[in-house]
Structure formats: C-alpha cells, structure tokens
C-alpha cells in the first residue's frame, strides 16, 4: 500500500502486471479499479477539505461581522446614554495670582480658587492640558466634560515648594493636587504659562527643578513669551524674537518643548501665523494652539469653527462690571443651565460622538470618525 500510494497510476499498473503473470484479465481490471478509486478518493478528499476550509472562513467572517455590528451598536447606545456631544463648548479658564489679599481683578484667593475647582469636580468636569485639548487627545470618562485650567505669568503664588519638595498647600499647584485627591474623578493637571520671572526663583538650578517637578507631575509648561511683551502692532522680528526667547527659556532649563502659546494681554500679532511658527537665531517654534484672553468658552477641537490660532479663554471671577455674565462663574452657570451646549464625552477617544443633527458641525476632515446617534 505504501508503494501504491506513492507512485503514479501507470507505474502501479506495470508492476502489478509483471508480478502476476498468467493471472486472469479480471484480476487486472480489479487492480485498475482499486487504483482509480484511490486516485478519485484523494481528489474527493482534497475537494472536501477545501470546502470545509471555505465554510470555516465564511463562518469566521460572519462571526466577526456580527461582533463588529454588536460593538458599533454598543458604542452608539453608550453615546446616547451619555448624551455625548463632542462638538460642544469647552471652558478654558484663565487664572493669574492666587493670593490671600487680591489687589487686582485677576487675582483669586486660595479659598476662591479651591471653591471653583471643587465646583468643576462636582459638576463632572475633568481637567485636560492645553496641549491635549488642541490636539484632540481628550480621553475622559463617558458623561464627563473637559475643562482647561491655565495659569499665566509664573507667579510664586502658583508654585512654591515646602522644605520637603512639595508645593505649599495654598499655592495653585498645591490646591489642584489636593482637590484631585479629594475628588478621584478630577484629574489634577493644568497648564502653566511661564515667563522669565519663573516663580521668582533666581537660581537656574531652582528653576530647572520647578519645571522638572511640573512635567513629572503631569502639568503642561506653556510659552507666554520671555518678557510678557504686548505683541500687537509689533514687527514680525519682534514677535518671533519674544516667542522664540520664551521657547528657549523653557527648553534651556530642561523643560519639554512647548506646543501652546498664551498671548500676553491676549493681544494677537498683526499676522496670527507669526504666533504659530517662527524662528529667531537658532531657536524655532511650532505652536499647535494659540490662546487669547476672551469672554466665551472655546470650540471643540473637532468642530468646524475651531480656530487653533485664536482660542478664547474665560477670566476667573464672579463679580464686578460684566464679570457676572462673562467670567468663570457666569459661564459655568450658563453651561449648567444649557447642558446641550457643552462638550460631553462618550468615553471612547477613537470616535467623535454627536447627536445626529450636529454631524454637520464636525470638521469635514474628521467626519470619518463621527459616531452619530438619535437624540431623544
């Protein structure tokens, strides 16, 4: 049998004929029938194997399609349950000094700063850095809302260290970390827009330590120019020199290269693109987001109306002039009363979840990622 299985049919016929000389013609016929059966059986077995493989492959594809459909349905159900709206407004809050006795409208007391952060935590806001916001890396739980906390001018009230190397309890960094510890869903991050008077630390080793601590603990270090020069009306050379100097200040002290810029006084250069990219000497910069000082929440980075070179920020405050309406308390009140206006996450960072009627509000370049659902 071994020989028969390994030789062609014609060879087998010759061997059997020569080995059985004098046998009847019927014997030859039976041998031929057996050989033919073996060959046909092998062909049929091959065909059956191929059919089985095809059936198995088809079944696997059908199973994968079913699983994919179920996963898509689950994502849509989750988005609907969360009332997700990822083209909604995002508050970008602007803070300056955190001091016990405020002397200007932009100052906040430690108690005021803490109270506003606690309000954000209880109302479902999750802080993201300015860089995460402008690049669309908003990875927060379903039903939650992103908020960007920014602190300008690198005041010592924002970051001062105790003897053991931790931020003092009443500094901005200390309060942010404490609120994060008390409210586990509140991510203790913010963006510090620094200038040359780095937290009034005069030794470069201390400045380096401060920036290293911020970066290690998840805070973003942003560019606010080196000298806090008003860039409106300045030449391109003056604008690029100031921004490049601020960039070099951070990287020269070992900090990560900043990709966001807060314009001093919120004033835009004659050509907004100067704030985005430029070079002075050996230092070049490329900012993904440029922040102004304004009076409205910012657009989602996925929205068609999002302008990365003119992002508004909301001044912190609750009283005085039109602040009740246009400062942080007023806008947080408004977003709470009109929840459909604010950005609400579906918890899936790979999609842009929106009610079906808001699909057209998504940037056309990003519509392949849209997950639309029928709002009830």
């Amino acid at each position: 049998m071994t020989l028969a299985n390994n030789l062609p049919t014609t060879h087998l016929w010759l061997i059997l004929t020569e080995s059985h000389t004098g046998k009847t013609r019927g014997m030859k016929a039976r041998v031929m029938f057996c050989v033919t059966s073996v060959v046909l059986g092998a062909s049929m077995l091959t065909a059956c194997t191929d059919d089985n493989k095809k059936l198995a492959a088809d079944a696997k594809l059908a199973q994968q399609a079913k699983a994919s459909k179920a996963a898509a349905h689950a994502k849509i159900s989750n988005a609907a349950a969360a009332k997700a709206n990822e083209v909604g407004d995002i508050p970008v809050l602007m803070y300056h000094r955190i001091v016990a006795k405020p002397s200007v409208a932009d100052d906040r007391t430690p108690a005021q700063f803490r109270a506003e952060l606690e309000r954000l935590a209880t109302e479902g806001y999750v802080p993201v850095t300015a860089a995460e916001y402008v690049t669309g890396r908003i990875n927060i739980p379903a039903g939650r809302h992103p908020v960007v906390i920014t602190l300008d001018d690198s005041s010592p009230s924002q970051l001062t260290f105790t003897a053991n190397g931790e931020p003092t309890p009443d500094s901005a960094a200390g309060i942010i970390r404490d609120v994060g510890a008390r409210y586990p869903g509140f991510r203790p991050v913010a963006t510090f827009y620094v200038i040359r008077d780095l937290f009034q630390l005069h030794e470069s080793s201390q400045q380096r330590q401060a920036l290293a601590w911020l970066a290690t603990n998840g805070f973003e270090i942003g560019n606010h120019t080196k000298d806090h020069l008003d860039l409106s009306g300045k030449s391109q050379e003056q604008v690029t020199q100031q921004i490049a100097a601020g960039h070099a200040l951070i990287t020269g002290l070992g900090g990560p290269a900043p990709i966001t810029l807060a314009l001093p006084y919120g004033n835009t250069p004659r050509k907004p693109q100067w704030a985005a990219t430029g070079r002075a000497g050996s230092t070049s910069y490329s900012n993904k987001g440029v922040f102004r000082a304004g009076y409205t929440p910012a657009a989602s980075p996925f929205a068609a109306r999002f302008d990365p070179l003119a992002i508004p920020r909301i001044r912190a405050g609750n009283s005085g002039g039109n602040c009740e309406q246009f400062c942080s308390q007023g806008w947080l009140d408004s977003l709470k009363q009109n929840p459909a206006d604010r950005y609400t996450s579906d918890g899936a960072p790979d999609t842009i979840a929106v009610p079906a009627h808001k699909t057209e509000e998504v940037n056309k370049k990003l519509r392949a990622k849209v997950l639309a659902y029928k709002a009830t």
Side-chain angles (χ1 to χ4, degrees), residues 76 111 114 147 153 160 176 181 202 215 251 257 262 292 306 328 331:
I76 291 173
R114 179 184 295 275
V147 60
D153 304 344
T160 299
I176 291 169
H202 303 297
T251 56
R292 305 173 67 184
F306 173 66
S328 54
W331 275 115

Side-chain angles (χ1 to χ4, degrees), residues 22 27 49 64 72 85 93 106 127 137 155 162 195 200 203 227 259 261 271 289 302 318 369 374 376:
M27 179 64 178
T49 301
Q64 289 174 340
N85 176 20
L93 305 180
D106 284 340
R137 291 181 288 117
S155 158
T162 63
I195 56 177
Q200 290 187 8
E203 299 292 332
D227 300 313
I259 64 167
L261 168 75
K271 292 189 177 182
F302 311 129
N318 58 1
K369 297 178 67 177
K374 288 186 178 180
T376 55

Side-chain angles (χ1 to χ4, degrees), residues 156-163 166-175:
S157 68
Q158 297 171 4
L159 181 63
T160 299
F161 293 105
T162 63
E166 290 296 314
T168 56
D170 279 348
S171 67
I175 294 170

Side-chain angles (χ1 to χ4, degrees), residues 27-46:
M27 179 64 178
K28 294 175 183 177
R30 284 195 298 273
V31 172
M32 278 300 297
F33 174 77
C34 289
V35 172
T36 303
S37 297
V38 169
V39 174
L40 288 174
S43 299
M44 292 173 66
L45 182 60
T46 300

Side-chain angles (χ1 to χ4, degrees), residues 4 83 89 147 243:
K83 297 183 178 180
D89 290 336
V147 60
I243 299 173

Side-chain angles (χ1 to χ4, degrees), residues 12-88:
L12 182 61
W13 162 254
L14 291 172
I15 293 169
L16 291 176
T17 302
E18 293 170 2
S19 300
H20 296 79
T21 304
K23 296 294 182 180
T24 65
R25 188 182 299 272
M27 179 64 178
K28 294 175 183 177
R30 284 195 298 273
V31 172
M32 278 300 297
F33 174 77
C34 289
V35 172
T36 303
S37 297
V38 169
V39 174
L40 288 174
S43 299
M44 292 173 66
L45 182 60
T46 300
C48 288
T49 301
D50 289 343
D51 286 345
N52 287 338
K53 286 181 179 179
K54 186 175 184 304
L55 288 171
D58 289 346
K60 185 177 181 180
L61 287 174
Q63 187 177 16
Q64 289 174 340
K66 185 177 179 181
S68 179
K69 186 177 180 180
H73 179 74
K75 282 188 174 183
I76 291 173
S77 297
N78 291 339
K83 297 183 178 180
N85 176 20
E86 295 185 337
V87 289

Side-chain angles (χ1 to χ4, degrees), residues 84-274:
N85 176 20
E86 295 185 337
V87 289
D89 290 336
I90 298 174
V92 180
L93 305 180
M94 178 178 64
Y95 296 94
H96 289 81
R97 297 195 309 164
I98 309 300
V99 292
K101 295 181 178 181
S103 59
V104 296
D106 284 340
D107 291 348
R108 308 297 285 158
T109 68
Q112 289 170 331
F113 184 61
R114 179 184 295 275
E116 189 144 272
L117 298 188
E118 289 180 343
R119 174 182 181 172
L120 293 170
T122 57
E123 292 184 5
Y125 286 94
V126 178
V128 297
T129 66
E132 289 169 336
Y133 158 62
V134 299
T135 57
R137 291 181 288 117
I138 302 176
N139 188 4
I140 63 176
R144 299 297 187 91
H145 324 291
V147 60
V148 183
I149 298 168
T150 67
L151 298 112
D152 288 6
D153 304 344
S154 50
S155 158
S157 68
Q158 297 171 4
L159 181 63
T160 299
F161 293 105
T162 63
N164 62 2
E166 290 296 314
T168 56
D170 279 348
S171 67
I175 294 170
I176 291 169
R177 281 165 61 85
D178 186 58
V179 173
R182 293 172 183 270
Y183 298 86
F186 190 80
R187 200 167 156 245
V189 300
T191 300
F192 287 78
Y193 284 110
V194 302
I195 56 177
R196 67 179 180 182
D197 189 16
L198 271 166
F199 310 111
Q200 290 187 8
L201 298 170
H202 303 297
E203 299 292 332
S204 61
S205 60
Q206 295 175 318
Q207 295 175 345
R208 185 178 292 271
Q209 179 187 14
L211 295 189
W213 185 92
L214 288 171
T216 300
N217 286 277
F219 293 98
E220 180 190 359
I221 304 160
N223 190 349
H224 199 35
T225 75
K226 183 178 180 180
D227 300 313
H228 203 270
L229 181 69
D230 186 345
L231 301 180
S232 63
K234 300 296 187 294
S235 67
Q236 181 177 7
E237 182 181 9
Q238 289 173 305
V239 170
T240 54
Q241 280 181 346
Q242 271 297 306
I243 299 173
H247 186 98
L249 170 69
I250 295 168
T251 56
L253 290 168
I259 64 167
T260 64
L261 168 75
L263 295 165
Y265 310 103
N267 293 331
T268 305
R270 284 206 314 272
K271 292 189 177 182
Q273 189 61 36
W274 296 348

